Amino acid sequence: MVYFINDIITGALIGLLYSLVAMGFVVIYRASKVFNFAQGELVIIGGFIVWFTTMQAGLSLWLSIPLSLVLAGLVGYAIERIFLTKLIGESVFSMVMVTVGLLILLRGLVLLVFGPAVRPFPIIFPLKPLFLGDMLIPMNLLIGGIITIVAAVGLSWFFNRTRSGLRMTAVAEDHVVASSMGISVKGSIAVAWVLGAILSTIGAMIFLSGKSLTFLASDIGFAALPVALFAGLESIGGLILAGIIIGIAQSLTTNYLDPLIGGSLGSVVPYIIMLAILLIRPTGLFGWRTIERV
Amino acid sequence: MTYQSNRGLRGLLAAAALAAAATMPLKAQAEETYNLALLSDFSGPYADIMPILAGGREAVFTWWNETRGKELGVTLNYKNYETRYDAAQVASLWPGIKSELDPIAVVGLGGPDVAALSERLPEDKIPMFMATAAYGFAWQPDAWIFNPRPTYSHESVGFLNWMREQRGGDEPLKVAILASEASPAYVDMAKGLELYAEEHPEEIDLVEVIYTEVQPTDLTGQMRRVVRAGAEALVIQTNTSIVVAAKRGLQANGANIPIMVSSHNGLPASGGALGGLEQMEGDFEAYGMAIAADEDTPARQFYKTLVADYGLEAPWNVVTAMGVSQGLYTVTVIDHAIEANGAEGLTGEMVREALFAKPITTEETHGFLPTLSFTPEAPFPLEGLKVNVGTVKDGKITIGATGVDVPQVEKW
């Protein structure tokens, strides 16, 4: 029974890591109605920035972490300025296609700049797990879970209680209308990409702490996708619940069903849950329902 | 002009004509050129090892062209094609490769090449030579795709039996395997070992079969299962990221179960990804190929020749050894085909026939591979299978054992 509870806790914490990466999807979507297919690549870019500042530049973690977050924010800002600003007012489809192009471009850039070698990622969180009796909780996931919840509360407050956040929501509704109301569409979208890049970098630190770094780590973006769609692409608070549900379902499947069937159903379960929810409620659990009056 | 001078001129012309006639066959020999298509992954999951592996095999082709090739009047041209380790990419590239190069052989990389081309190569009558161990799903008679090593499961079984002998006692060795459904080859590694353990319960007790992603989020829970099951060895023949995640999972559980890795995710690569080879202390790599250890072996001497005279820049490690051994058995088969058929008009079919006609001796591959006797029954030699074992001792790779017998493994 202890192990069963332990698997539930670990699963919930892995789910929260997915939620953090999915938050990048949601922040950008909420500000621009653009689904960023390159979210996993932003995680990799963030990971390489952290690796470079610590392992290459030799900075201490206390210095490299804030510096990496600033650099990641600048990368997000640059991406928005170079690729997306000119598309404001164009169809959302064009912007989404640009993110598909970004996915390929960023992968190529990572290979070109950093090369293909598998690198050791710095140990940011203690490797020694937390022992609660017979239970064992990985420290990076535990601290990551706390960071995710704090980030979710902070971002919910930002989007729902601050003028900047509400302006971003208005931008997502309609670029032209928001512009005509005096809201800076460019500014709002830029803030969203900066936030998305910073969240991805935090996700990279939790995900990769003490492990290895290659561009394959971008797969975490696909792992986070079911969480974002399950929660509904506009809900930050919903991500927490969706992440926990998906993480627990995945953990229990991996630990109890997979050994029986001799396969990897655990990696598929998040997508099964996502599809089931989308069939019942196409906007996800907490997504906004748009009512159009004709 | 006098008679004498005329005679001198005629003599000179005759000598020139003779000299020209004597050089003509040589000139004609040197004109025989054959193409090899090299399938590579410089931007996919094996992008980290590809430049090293490619360096190894290309240096062998250069060496062969400048030595045996010159003697035989044959030049082997080659061209790399980027497959991203993706079967769909290989399949879409193949018609273009065939029309552009008309190769007499393909030098492949991994499972996606096998999956994409196993139906096409018999029709096109072009053999493909791999560097890796073989796959159970490709274990068919009348193959056109060949591996110098037995299947990954043969290699792991050979190693596990050796480990059981080292441990002593009659109890079966408790083993866990970490695989992934990301590639058919990864699944195959687990399936073969599962079947062997099922048929030989007195030798191997397979306590856990775990499937994970190629870049796992966390394996602490899975490693706890492995530890609780009392595993004495953990087989990981997939990639370095999984080795790193498993190692961290074992460390979190306070356990130190020896890990066995393969050649493509060998000790140097996995150790490097963990931050240092010393992190893999007591772990093993096992495969049917020379171990790239510090010892001065014939394989290492040949590697030094390639570095000194043929521009090889890759370091002495298992991936370089893999590339060199692939190049060596490929050129040896072509050499045998030329011996049997002459240098002119060589075809892929003749190269394949030469593979069955004559064994490739360990001397011909400079000790990189054991003597290989291919038969039409399987894509890899079924007799005389051996594996070598490398381990990390005091932070260095050393040879744990050489020529370990591989027991008979049934087809799965």
Side-chain angles (χ1 to χ4, degrees), chain B residues 317-329:
Chain B
N317 66 27
V318 58
V319 180
T320 309
M322 212 159 115
V324 172
S325 60
Q326 184 182 24
L328 279 172
Y329 95 98

Side-chain angles (χ1 to χ4, degrees), chain A residues 91-135:
Chain A
S91 73
V92 168
F93 182 73
S94 313
M95 287 181 142
V96 172
M97 289 316 289
V98 166
T99 70
V100 175
L102 259 181
L103 181 152
I104 299 161
L105 177 75
L106 293 178
R107 271 191 181 217
L109 271 180
V110 164
L111 273 172
L112 200 69
V113 177
F114 297 103
V118 181
R119 295 169 170 77
F121 195 80
I123 300 166
I124 293 173
F125 303 105
L127 286 176
K128 203 172 158 64
L130 177 72
F131 289 97
L132 293 175
D134 281 346
M135 287 202 290

